[in-house]
Amino acid sequence: MRIGNRFSIAVHILSLLGTFEGEDQTSEWMAGSIGVNPVIVRNVIGMLRRAGLVTTQQGAKGAHIARPLKKITLLDVFRAVETEDLFSSHPRPNPNCPVGAQIQTTLEDIYGRSQAAMEAELKATTLDKVVKSFKVKAA
């Protein structure tokens, strides 16, 4: 039960784009900062583009933020790249067991409240807050 790497990679990509706004940023350059293969960066950028968070151009121009960082929440990013619920139950508990017969319903309620709390926190945090937290030295 953990948020996938795509979310962290997506926040990293958007933070790079916001921190170095106006500069040409290739997937190779971003991959070097993130520590992943450029193909992964391109895949995540594609998800962010489809969600309207970045614009892209072929070649050295790379990707650019599509709207102001203060108008992009971490929930926007999460929804752009995460396709599965944060929590899930095991698929086949034994219905003849008193626990197995009730566990799904009990956990679904808890998981729903937990997911809502996490989403509220992500919605309250904008990318400009994330980017402002970095201490970046000028090149």
Side-chain angles (χ1 to χ4, degrees):
M1 232 181 346
R2 66 181 188 144
I3 295 176
N5 290 336
R6 281 191 310 259
F7 176 66
S8 295
I9 291 169
V11 171
H12 196 139
I13 289 168
L14 291 166
S15 296
L16 287 168
L17 295 174
T19 300
F20 300 101
E21 194 171 1
E23 297 179 27
D24 294 340
Q25 300 165 31
T26 65
S27 56
E28 289 78 14
W29 179 79
M30 288 186 261
S33 174
I34 300 166
V36 297
N37 188 294
V39 171
I40 293 171
V41 172
R42 287 190 286 274
N43 288 338
V44 173
I45 287 174
M47 297 171 126
L48 295 171
R49 181 179 36 77
R50 285 186 289 283
L53 301 178
V54 299
T55 59
T56 58
Q57 297 174 322
Q58 285 193 311
K61 297 292 181 195
H64 299 278
I65 298 283
R67 57 187 198 238
L69 293 178
K70 65 184 175 186
K71 297 204 182 261
I72 300 173
T73 68
L74 292 183
L75 182 58
D76 296 329
V77 180
F78 181 78
R79 288 182 174 160
V81 300
E82 293 299 335
T83 57
E84 297 181 20
D85 288 335
L86 182 60
F87 302 102
S88 62
S89 299
H90 56 288
R92 292 177 298 281
N94 182 348
N96 297 320
C97 170
V99 173
Q102 301 174 66
I103 194 73
Q104 299 284 40
T105 304
T106 301
L107 289 178
E108 284 175 10
D109 183 46
I110 294 166
Y111 291 167
R113 289 193 316 269
S114 299
Q115 180 89 21
M118 185 225 30
E119 288 183 5
E121 183 65 29
L122 293 178
K123 185 177 183 179
T125 306
T126 58
L127 271 171
D128 70 319
K129 290 180 185 175
V130 173
V131 170
K132 287 177 182 174
S133 72
F134 302 133
K135 295 171 180 42
V136 178
K137 296 179 183 176

